[in-house]
């Protein structure tokens, strides 16, 4: 493809590169450059890609996309923002496959993973079509599972994935749209047919700085879609809808003034049941995933499906047969009269929601084992400590992806949240050891919540991912015991 075509829709500030030059690939990692590539010098959060332009040229880059004009005889095209440039160049290079499919995006602090997986199931069951999925638990092309590093991939990988999905026959794509992807322009140049806002609570303030900036990042998705759906029960709903450039469908489980509401809600250990109401239409709805958050997730899915012309009764049929989601309220086999639940709840509101969901079905003590991620929002650490103490009968504080921080330093920032609380707690830094201790001290009727890892089968220590699957840890410990 010619450089001119790759730069379509980008405002080029200055250039020395030959616009008729054939480009055979796009690369933003200088170590991976191949002859004929366009090297995009992205200014990262910690590393500036402009430093590696000489290395990229040495490896055979045909041209460079940059924000700062490089020194020497380098064929370049200068743009205002290389992240935005990478997104549009990637879209153009792969032929804009996303525009040939129906895109449904879910954004919010919690609920994205479950919602996208269930939405995929609904579309496949009710439309009989092949659906792609992009999200935290991995990417899928129909029934094929693909590994993923990020909730929303970098723009080049994202468009390459869209191309693979389109070529494989996908007509729809359901994807999680993270605040990182919206802030860092990973989804720039993509248009969604429907976008759903699930909720907003404290998270990712290491990137955004404030809740207002975090909310503004989420809100960007409504400038890139035909129809929006908003959870009216969330305190940020009015902000999300203010000056929205697209029509908005609201949904709620606690208010009666939304477009789609839930009535006669019944919560149990094996799921939720409610009557979904949209105008004069009503459908008895069941989802086999417990918790009030499942009601909100179901309503968001119903709202999105409605925007695509799928009726309420069809939605109810599909939700009733939706499978559980790995790492979300996942029950693990034990060797006695106690339960172990694995859940991805690594944020304050998610931890609180899961504990409140488990409380009514706990005959004995509700025990929670959790930690907080390193190199991430530090403000939420004591908040999560307080939530654990307020909603559980016993708290075990441990490690969860410490990354480049010292694990005990993270734990020491959690502990103030338990100060002046009457809930007993124990600190065991090693997560494997902590899980073993919890099992050894379980009593009949107890429920042990292993919070934070969910679907993850690794622990990040330093910059290295070390295999650690809590399902395997529990099984191995029980077999030895």
């Amino acid at each position: 493809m010619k450089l001119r075509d790759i730069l379509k829709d980008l405002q080029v500030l200055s250039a020395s590169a030959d616009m008729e030059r054939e480009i055979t690939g796009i690369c933003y990692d200088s170590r991976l450059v191949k002859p004929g590539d366009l090297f995009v010098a992205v200014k990262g959060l910690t590393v500036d890609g402009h430093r590696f332009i000489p290395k990229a040229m040495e490896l055979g880059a045909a041209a460079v996309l940059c924000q700062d004009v490089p020194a020497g005889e380098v064929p370049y095209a200068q743009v205002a923002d290389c992240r935005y440039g990478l997104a549009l160049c990637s879209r153009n290079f792969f032929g804009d496959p996303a525009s040939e499919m129906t895109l449904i995006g879910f954004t919010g602090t919690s609920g994205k993973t479950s919602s996208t997986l269930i939405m995929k199931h609904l579309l496949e069951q009710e439309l009989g079509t092949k659906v792609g999925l992009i999200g935290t638990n991995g990417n899928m092309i129909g029934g094929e599972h693909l590994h993923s590093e990020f909730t929303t991939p970098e723009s080049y990988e994202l468009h390459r994935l869209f191309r693979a999905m389109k070529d494989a026959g996908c007509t729809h794509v359901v994807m999680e749209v993270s605040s990182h992807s919206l802030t860092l322009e990973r989804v720039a140049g993509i248009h969604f047919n429907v976008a759903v806002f699930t909720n907003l609570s404290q998270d990712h303030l290491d990137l955004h700085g404030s809740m207002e900036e975090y909310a503004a990042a989420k809100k960007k998705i409504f400038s890139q879609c035909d129809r929006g759906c908003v959870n009216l029960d969330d305190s940020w709903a009015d902000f999300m809808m203010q000056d929205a450039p697209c029509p908005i469908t609201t949904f709620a489980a606690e208010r009666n003034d939304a477009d789609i509401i839930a009535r006669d809600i019944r919560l149990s250990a094996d799921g939720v049941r409610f009557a979904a109401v949209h105008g004069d239409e009503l459908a008895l709805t069941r989802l086999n995933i417990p918790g009030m958050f499942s009601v909100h997730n179901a309503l968001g899915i119903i709202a999105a499906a409605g925007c695509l012309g799928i009726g309420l009764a069809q939605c109810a049929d599909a939700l009733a047969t939706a499978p559980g989601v790995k790492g979300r309220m996942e029950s693990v086999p034990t060797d006695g009269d106690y339960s172990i639940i694995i859940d991805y709840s690594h944020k304050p509101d998610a931890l609180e929601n899961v504990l409140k969901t488990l409380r009514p079905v706990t005959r004995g003590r509700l025990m929670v084992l959790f930690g907080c991620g390193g190199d991430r929002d530090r403000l939420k650490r004591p908040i999560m400590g307080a939530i654990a103490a307020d909603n559980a009968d016993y708290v075990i504080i441990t490690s969860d992806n410490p990354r480049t921080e010292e694990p005990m330093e993270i734990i020491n920032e959690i502990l103030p949240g338990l100060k002046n609380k009457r809930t007993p707690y124990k600190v065991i830094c090693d997560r494997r050891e902590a899980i073993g201790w919890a099992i050894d001290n379980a009593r009949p009727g107890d429920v042990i919540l292993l919070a934070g890892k969910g679907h993850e089968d690794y622990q990040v220590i330093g910059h290295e991912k070390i295999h650690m699957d809590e399902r395997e840890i529990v099984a191995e410990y029980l077999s030895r015991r």
Side-chain angles (χ1 to χ4, degrees), residues 36 41 75 87 92 95 99 143 231 419:
N92 296 336
S99 67
N231 175 9
K419 189 177 181 181

Side-chain angles (χ1 to χ4, degrees), residues 81 94 109 173 191 210 307 316 334 337 345 387 392 402 408 418 445 448 460 463 465:
D81 183 349
F94 287 106
T109 305
V173 177
H191 193 78
S210 69
C307 291
T334 68
D337 183 21
S345 41
I387 287 172
M408 276 308 302
L418 290 93
I448 302 170
V460 183
H463 296 287
K465 278 187 177 180

Side-chain angles (χ1 to χ4, degrees), residues 112-113 116 133-139 148-152 176 178 328 344 346 455-456 458:
K112 298 187 299 296
T113 300
T116 51
L133 181 141
I134 300 170
T136 305
N137 274 22
N139 304 321
S148 64
E149 290 290 335
F150 302 105
T151 297
T152 312
E176 298 182 46
S178 66
R328 269 64 175 180
Y344 191 50
H346 62 291
H455 62 283
E456 292 180 352
Y458 57 83

